[in-house]
Amino acid sequence: MSDPNKIFKLAIDPHFGTKAIHAGQNPDKWTFRNVIPPISMTTTFKQIAPAKHYGFEYGRSGNPSRSVLQECIAALEDAKYCLTYSSGLGATTAVAHLLKSGDHVLAGDDMYGGTNRYFSKVASKFGITMTLVDFTKDVNMEKMILPETKLVWMESPTNPCLRVIDLEKISNLIHKIRKDIIILVDNTFLTSYFQKPLTLGADLVLYSCSKYLNGHSDVIMGAVVTNRSDLYEDLAFNQNSLGIIPSPFDCFLVNRGLKTLHVRMKEHQKNGLAVAQFLEQHPLVEKTLHPGLPSHPQHNIALRQFSGFSGMVSFYIKGGLKEATKFLQSIKIFCLAESLGGYESLADHPALMTHASVPENERAFLGITDNLIRLSVGLESEQDLIADLDQALKASVN
Ligand code: P1T
């Protein structure tokens, strides 16, 4: 649990960058007063007497490198608790294990393909059912919420179509119907720097730390953040009991990545907007999806709900699979690879890559067509990124 008064000697309310650098990192924690938290590579901890120890006993149930990171992520969300897991899907698994057979999940229809696959192909085997809904439309919530609904799952902006859900409106509607329904927001695409779902009615915020939080594309990890002590206790129990923990080394790396999150996000925002504006006016682009463009259907919700935009941009190239493939084989600075949120620019073909596990009819309905391309705009120089996209677009028709 993060306690800013313990972290900061002065009675000040620190801002994002200060928390990213100092929350959970107090050198006085360590025997040698390490300014940079050490990597605690140990599976077990010496006890003073049986069951009497310094807060850590066995590396699955807890590790100082993990605690440091969890405190920092919680502080960045202005939240009380954070738990980290071996991947974003590991975090999803820990949340799903809050449910029992017969429970129902209401989830946004446009979401990461792996999350969809987990609920439809894995959790379903244990009797958990899921209904998909487009939360950006007028949803008859009274009808969608079943007596057995226990969890509402929203990604916003969504992966890969970058739709924006009015989180406050939906959370209020749901909690008006039933207070006990757990509302989760996957905030991977914006991070706590640009959106704070707990202030908009969410009970849980989930991250794939593999993306912006780490920001260096060298760690797979997940996290869940909450202010609710009951959910925290259950999620901590699941972290230990399911064994889906991150390694101390990975915790060190993500903690290091967090130190520049605020700096990176501003630059991702700048490059992402520049790329979106460039694509929107390009004759070889059919349509550009970016919540910062006035043409985006939920642009006004984004302006109200976000404090900025990340580097995620999706677009429909003119043509079909042939043109998309030619484009993706012609990019030189952007790299054709799954994932997002690193300092390097990546391009993804959702229909064949990240969302291939979503059934074809669902993909068509969602707009995940063969000419949809998703970009994670990185931190390279803006003019080079735009020149790269321009030459690859031209190559797509040759
Ligand atoms: O890859 P992992 O750390 O397990 O995180 C899963 C996950 C959860 N939520 C969102 C919104 C995600 O985008 C992801 C992972 N996504 C990709 C790998 C991708 O390329 O979209």
Side-chain angles (χ1 to χ4, degrees):
M1 180 173 164
S2 67
D3 177 355
N5 293 325
K6 278 200 182 144
I7 299 158
F8 300 98
K9 292 189 191 93
L10 299 170
I12 49 172
D13 182 15
H15 295 89
F16 197 96
T18 310
K19 286 191 272 195
I21 290 168
H22 293 292
Q25 326 286 306
N26 188 347
D28 293 341
K29 279 183 188 173
W30 317 109
T31 310
F32 297 106
R33 303 301 188 263
N34 307 35
V35 170
I36 305 304
I39 312 173
S40 298
M41 291 299 271
T42 181
T43 56
T44 194
F45 300 83
K46 183 180 171 184
Q47 308 207 1
I48 311 148
K52 202 167 164 236
H53 51 74
Y54 293 103
F56 297 97
E57 44 193 329
Y58 182 59
R60 175 161 35 72
S61 48
N63 175 286
S65 304
R66 199 195 311 164
S67 296
V68 160
L69 170 66
Q70 291 178 166
E71 273 193 46
C72 194
I73 296 177
L76 292 180
E77 202 82 37
D78 298 324
K80 288 185 182 159
Y81 310 104
C82 167
L83 289 154
T84 51
Y85 298 91
S86 52
S87 66
L89 273 182
T92 300
T93 306
V95 172
H97 277 71
L98 297 172
L99 310 181
K100 59 180 189 328
S101 178
D103 286 349
H104 170 255
V105 181
L106 182 63
D109 54 3
D110 188 35
M111 58 151 98
Y112 172 54
T115 310
N116 184 326
R117 180 180 56 201
Y118 175 78
F119 280 109
S120 57
K121 301 246 165 64
V122 182
S124 59
K125 285 198 262 181
F126 300 96
I128 292 168
T129 57
M130 175 177 72
T131 311
L132 295 173
V133 67
D134 181 354
F135 284 115
T136 66
K137 298 269 155 61
D138 262 338
V139 179
N140 184 345
M141 215 61 85
E142 299 275 357
K143 203 172 128 213
M144 297 310 294
I145 300 282
L146 310 175
E148 51 276 19
T149 304
K150 290 284 159 56
L151 174 66
V152 170
W153 191 285
M154 294 184 274
E155 234 178 65
S156 185
T158 61
N159 182 0
C161 294
L162 301 175
R163 295 196 188 122
V164 178
I165 299 171
D166 188 333
L167 297 175
E168 195 163 26
K169 184 177 123 194
I170 301 290
S171 301
N172 280 339
L173 278 174
I174 290 163
H175 277 158
K176 216 177 259 173
I177 298 170
R178 281 237 324 275
K179 279 211 162 37
D180 64 314
I181 292 175
I182 301 167
I183 297 178
L184 178 145
V185 173
D186 183 333
N187 200 30
T188 297
F189 272 32
L190 282 182
T191 80
S192 52
Y193 188 62
F194 284 140
Q195 178 170 261
K196 294 228 172 42
L198 294 179
T199 66
L200 302 166
D203 299 293
L204 298 175
V205 179
L206 182 134
Y207 288 104
S208 168
C209 307
S210 327
K211 319 301 179 203
Y212 287 109
L213 293 193
N214 180 48
H216 293 68
S217 301
D218 49 12
V219 175
I220 299 284
M221 194 191 289
V224 183
V225 182
T226 187
N227 277 323
R228 278 182 53 178
S229 56
D230 58 334
L231 294 176
Y232 167 72
E233 299 293 339
D234 290 347
L235 286 165
F237 179 81
N238 289 352
Q239 186 191 47
N240 183 36
S241 305
L242 295 170
I244 35 179
I245 53 153
S247 79
F249 183 58
D250 285 352
C251 291
F252 170 85
L253 286 176
V254 175
N255 188 45
R256 184 165 77 162
L258 282 185
K259 305 294 164 264
T260 54
L261 179 63
H262 55 301
V263 184
R264 287 185 281 109
M265 291 312 281
K266 283 180 220 162
E267 196 70 7
H268 280 296
Q269 162 170 252
K270 178 186 82 60
N271 281 357
L273 271 168
V275 162
Q277 282 157 0
F278 165 76
L279 291 173
E280 189 164 54
Q281 53 73 47
H282 202 286
L284 295 173
V285 171
E286 196 177 287
K287 194 174 169 192
T288 306
L289 309 173
H290 185 292
L293 295 175
S295 60
H296 189 282
Q298 293 95 35
H299 177 61
N300 287 331
I301 300 174
L303 290 182
R304 170 160 44 85
Q305 192 165 283
F306 310 170
S307 51
F309 305 96
S310 70
M312 298 308 295
V313 185
S314 294
F315 72 100
Y316 294 96
I317 195 167
K318 277 199 181 149
L321 185 59
K322 188 169 138 250
E323 288 73 13
T325 305
K326 270 197 155 178
F327 169 85
L328 290 167
Q329 289 183 319
S330 305
I331 43 180
K332 293 190 167 81
I333 296 174
F334 279 85
C335 177
L336 174 60
E338 301 200 7
S339 204
L340 58 110
Y343 55 71
E344 76 297 347
S345 292
L346 298 179
D348 166 48
H349 188 273
L352 291 179
M353 294 165 62
T354 46
H355 292 70
S357 62
V358 178
E360 202 178 333
N361 60 335
E362 269 181 47
R363 283 205 310 264
F365 178 75
L366 292 170
I368 307 176
T369 50
D370 282 346
N371 63 335
L372 177 68
I373 291 167
R374 190 192 73 185
L375 301 177
S376 170
V377 182
L379 306 180
E380 301 91 338
S381 303
E382 178 187 314
Q383 54 275 54
D384 295 335
L385 293 175
I386 287 175
D388 189 29
L389 294 172
D390 193 38
Q391 66 78 24
L393 281 166
K394 285 176 183 146
S396 74
V397 286
N398 284 327

Short mmCIF file of all heavy atoms in Angstrom, two decimals, residues 87-90 112 115 155 159 186 188-189 206 208-211 220-222 338-340 348 354-355 374, ligand 1:
data_model
loop_
_atom_site.label_atom_id
_atom_site.label_comp_id
_atom_site.label_asym_id
_atom_site.label_seq_id
_atom_site.Cartn_x
_atom_site.Cartn_y
_atom_site.Cartn_z
N SER A 87 2.06 -11.36 -16.62
CA SER A 87 1.75 -10.74 -17.92
C SER A 87 0.42 -10.01 -17.76
O SER A 87 -0.25 -10.16 -16.73
CB SER A 87 1.62 -11.82 -19.01
OG SER A 87 0.49 -12.64 -18.76
N GLY A 88 0.04 -9.26 -18.78
CA GLY A 88 -1.29 -8.63 -18.76
C GLY A 88 -2.36 -9.70 -18.67
O GLY A 88 -3.34 -9.57 -17.92
N LEU A 89 -2.16 -10.80 -19.42
CA LEU A 89 -3.14 -11.88 -19.36
C LEU A 89 -3.10 -12.60 -18.01
O LEU A 89 -4.11 -13.13 -17.55
CB LEU A 89 -2.92 -12.87 -20.51
CG LEU A 89 -3.65 -12.48 -21.81
CD1 LEU A 89 -3.42 -13.52 -22.88
CD2 LEU A 89 -5.15 -12.29 -21.58
N GLY A 90 -1.94 -12.61 -17.37
CA GLY A 90 -1.85 -13.13 -16.01
C GLY A 90 -2.71 -12.31 -15.07
O GLY A 90 -3.42 -12.84 -14.20
N TYR A 112 -8.57 -6.34 -26.73
CA TYR A 112 -7.42 -7.14 -27.13
C TYR A 112 -7.85 -8.60 -27.40
O TYR A 112 -8.57 -9.18 -26.58
CB TYR A 112 -6.34 -7.08 -26.03
CG TYR A 112 -5.21 -8.04 -26.28
CD1 TYR A 112 -4.52 -8.03 -27.49
CD2 TYR A 112 -4.84 -8.98 -25.33
CE1 TYR A 112 -3.50 -8.93 -27.74
CE2 TYR A 112 -3.81 -9.88 -25.57
CZ TYR A 112 -3.15 -9.85 -26.78
OH TYR A 112 -2.15 -10.74 -27.03
N THR A 115 -7.56 -11.20 -24.63
CA THR A 115 -8.52 -11.10 -23.53
C THR A 115 -9.82 -11.77 -23.94
O THR A 115 -10.42 -12.56 -23.18
CB THR A 115 -8.78 -9.61 -23.17
OG1 THR A 115 -7.53 -8.96 -23.01
CG2 THR A 115 -9.60 -9.47 -21.91
N GLU A 155 -12.35 -1.76 -22.15
CA GLU A 155 -11.06 -1.25 -22.60
C GLU A 155 -11.36 0.12 -23.20
O GLU A 155 -12.31 0.24 -23.98
CB GLU A 155 -10.55 -2.15 -23.73
CG GLU A 155 -9.18 -2.71 -23.53
CD GLU A 155 -8.80 -3.62 -24.67
OE1 GLU A 155 -8.68 -3.15 -25.81
OE2 GLU A 155 -8.66 -4.82 -24.43
N ASN A 159 -8.79 -1.67 -28.30
CA ASN A 159 -7.74 -2.26 -29.14
C ASN A 159 -8.41 -3.17 -30.16
O ASN A 159 -9.02 -4.16 -29.74
CB ASN A 159 -6.80 -3.05 -28.20
CG ASN A 159 -5.63 -3.68 -28.92
OD1 ASN A 159 -5.48 -3.55 -30.12
ND2 ASN A 159 -4.81 -4.40 -28.17
N ASP A 186 -9.43 -1.59 -18.58
CA ASP A 186 -8.08 -1.85 -19.07
C ASP A 186 -7.56 -0.53 -19.64
O ASP A 186 -8.03 -0.05 -20.67
CB ASP A 186 -8.13 -2.95 -20.14
CG ASP A 186 -6.75 -3.34 -20.65
OD1 ASP A 186 -5.85 -2.49 -20.61
OD2 ASP A 186 -6.59 -4.48 -21.12
N THR A 188 -4.44 0.20 -20.53
CA THR A 188 -3.12 -0.01 -21.12
C THR A 188 -2.76 1.06 -22.16
O THR A 188 -1.62 1.50 -22.24
CB THR A 188 -3.09 -1.41 -21.79
OG1 THR A 188 -3.29 -2.39 -20.77
CG2 THR A 188 -1.79 -1.68 -22.51
N PHE A 189 -3.74 1.48 -22.97
CA PHE A 189 -3.43 2.38 -24.10
C PHE A 189 -3.13 3.81 -23.66
O PHE A 189 -2.49 4.54 -24.39
CB PHE A 189 -4.59 2.38 -25.10
CG PHE A 189 -4.49 1.29 -26.15
CD1 PHE A 189 -3.90 0.07 -25.85
CD2 PHE A 189 -4.99 1.47 -27.43
CE1 PHE A 189 -3.79 -0.94 -26.80
CE2 PHE A 189 -4.89 0.47 -28.38
CZ PHE A 189 -4.28 -0.73 -28.08
N LEU A 206 -6.70 -2.29 -14.98
CA LEU A 206 -5.76 -3.33 -15.38
C LEU A 206 -4.77 -2.78 -16.40
O LEU A 206 -5.13 -1.94 -17.23
CB LEU A 206 -6.53 -4.51 -15.98
CG LEU A 206 -5.69 -5.71 -16.42
CD1 LEU A 206 -6.32 -7.03 -15.93
CD2 LEU A 206 -5.50 -5.77 -17.93
N SER A 208 -1.47 -4.00 -19.12
CA SER A 208 -0.37 -4.78 -19.63
C SER A 208 0.83 -3.86 -19.47
O SER A 208 0.99 -2.89 -20.22
CB SER A 208 -0.59 -5.13 -21.12
OG SER A 208 0.63 -5.64 -21.63
N CYS A 209 1.68 -4.16 -18.47
CA CYS A 209 2.87 -3.32 -18.24
C CYS A 209 3.88 -3.53 -19.37
O CYS A 209 4.85 -2.77 -19.48
CB CYS A 209 3.55 -3.68 -16.92
SG CYS A 209 2.48 -3.67 -15.51
N SER A 210 3.65 -4.59 -20.17
CA SER A 210 4.52 -4.86 -21.32
C SER A 210 4.54 -3.69 -22.29
O SER A 210 5.40 -3.63 -23.16
CB SER A 210 4.02 -6.10 -22.08
OG SER A 210 3.43 -7.05 -21.22
N LYS A 211 3.57 -2.77 -22.15
CA LYS A 211 3.43 -1.65 -23.11
C LYS A 211 4.05 -0.37 -22.55
O LYS A 211 5.19 -0.35 -22.20
CB LYS A 211 1.95 -1.47 -23.45
CG LYS A 211 1.19 -2.78 -23.66
CD LYS A 211 1.76 -3.65 -24.76
CE LYS A 211 0.96 -4.94 -24.88
NZ LYS A 211 1.70 -6.02 -25.50
N ILE A 220 7.50 -8.67 -20.28
CA ILE A 220 6.07 -9.00 -20.31
C ILE A 220 5.60 -8.99 -18.85
O ILE A 220 6.16 -9.70 -18.01
CB ILE A 220 5.83 -10.41 -20.92
CG1 ILE A 220 6.32 -10.50 -22.37
CG2 ILE A 220 4.36 -10.81 -20.80
CD1 ILE A 220 5.46 -9.84 -23.40
N MET A 221 4.61 -8.16 -18.56
CA MET A 221 4.11 -8.07 -17.17
C MET A 221 2.72 -7.44 -17.15
O MET A 221 2.35 -6.73 -18.10
CB MET A 221 5.05 -7.21 -16.32
CG MET A 221 4.80 -7.34 -14.82
SD MET A 221 5.66 -6.11 -13.85
CE MET A 221 7.34 -6.66 -14.01
N GLY A 222 1.97 -7.71 -16.10
CA GLY A 222 0.64 -7.10 -15.95
C GLY A 222 0.48 -6.53 -14.56
O GLY A 222 1.25 -6.85 -13.64
N GLU A 338 3.89 -7.46 -33.39
CA GLU A 338 2.83 -7.28 -32.41
C GLU A 338 3.37 -6.43 -31.26
O GLU A 338 4.57 -6.24 -31.13
CB GLU A 338 2.38 -8.64 -31.86
CG GLU A 338 1.86 -9.55 -32.95
CD GLU A 338 0.98 -10.69 -32.45
OE1 GLU A 338 0.65 -10.69 -31.24
OE2 GLU A 338 0.62 -11.55 -33.27
N SER A 339 2.46 -5.98 -30.42
CA SER A 339 2.75 -5.17 -29.22
C SER A 339 2.73 -3.67 -29.55
O SER A 339 2.47 -3.26 -30.70
CB SER A 339 4.06 -5.55 -28.53
OG SER A 339 3.97 -5.15 -27.16
N LEU A 340 2.96 -2.89 -28.50
CA LEU A 340 2.81 -1.43 -28.59
C LEU A 340 3.43 -0.80 -27.35
O LEU A 340 3.79 -1.49 -26.40
CB LEU A 340 1.31 -1.08 -28.65
CG LEU A 340 0.47 -1.58 -27.45
CD1 LEU A 340 0.01 -0.43 -26.57
CD2 LEU A 340 -0.73 -2.36 -27.94
N ASP A 348 1.09 -3.13 -36.91
CA ASP A 348 0.43 -4.42 -36.67
C ASP A 348 -0.71 -4.57 -37.66
O ASP A 348 -1.36 -3.59 -38.03
CB ASP A 348 -0.11 -4.38 -35.21
CG ASP A 348 -1.11 -5.48 -34.89
OD1 ASP A 348 -0.83 -6.65 -35.21
OD2 ASP A 348 -2.17 -5.16 -34.30
N THR A 354 -2.61 -9.61 -33.99
CA THR A 354 -3.09 -9.51 -32.59
C THR A 354 -4.52 -9.96 -32.37
O THR A 354 -4.89 -10.32 -31.25
CB THR A 354 -2.98 -8.04 -32.10
OG1 THR A 354 -3.52 -7.20 -33.12
CG2 THR A 354 -1.56 -7.67 -31.81
N HIS A 355 -5.36 -9.90 -33.40
CA HIS A 355 -6.78 -10.22 -33.22
C HIS A 355 -7.20 -11.42 -34.07
O HIS A 355 -8.39 -11.60 -34.34
CB HIS A 355 -7.65 -8.98 -33.48
CG HIS A 355 -7.45 -7.93 -32.44
ND1 HIS A 355 -6.28 -7.20 -32.35
CD2 HIS A 355 -8.23 -7.51 -31.41
CE1 HIS A 355 -6.36 -6.37 -31.33
NE2 HIS A 355 -7.52 -6.54 -30.73
N ARG A 374 -2.72 -1.09 -37.49
CA ARG A 374 -2.58 -0.39 -36.21
C ARG A 374 -1.12 0.03 -36.02
O ARG A 374 -0.22 -0.79 -36.22
CB ARG A 374 -3.00 -1.33 -35.07
CG ARG A 374 -3.13 -0.64 -33.72
CD ARG A 374 -3.25 -1.65 -32.59
NE ARG A 374 -1.96 -2.30 -32.34
CZ ARG A 374 -1.80 -3.30 -31.46
NH1 ARG A 374 -2.83 -3.77 -30.79
NH2 ARG A 374 -0.61 -3.85 -31.29
O1 P1T B 1 0.71 -9.25 -23.56
P1 P1T B 1 0.26 -9.13 -22.13
O2 P1T B 1 1.22 -8.42 -21.26
O3 P1T B 1 -0.20 -10.44 -21.56
O4 P1T B 1 -1.01 -8.15 -22.11
C1 P1T B 1 -2.27 -8.49 -22.64
C2 P1T B 1 -3.00 -7.23 -23.05
C3 P1T B 1 -3.99 -6.73 -22.21
N1 P1T B 1 -4.65 -5.59 -22.52
C4 P1T B 1 -4.39 -4.92 -23.66
C5 P1T B 1 -5.16 -3.68 -23.98
C6 P1T B 1 -3.39 -5.36 -24.54
O5 P1T B 1 -3.16 -4.66 -25.65
C7 P1T B 1 -2.69 -6.57 -24.23
C8 P1T B 1 -1.64 -7.11 -25.13
N2 P1T B 1 -1.67 -6.59 -26.42
C9 P1T B 1 -0.83 -6.88 -27.45
C10 P1T B 1 0.19 -7.74 -27.35
C11 P1T B 1 -1.10 -6.18 -28.70
O6 P1T B 1 -0.22 -6.15 -29.60
O7 P1T B 1 -2.19 -5.62 -28.83
#
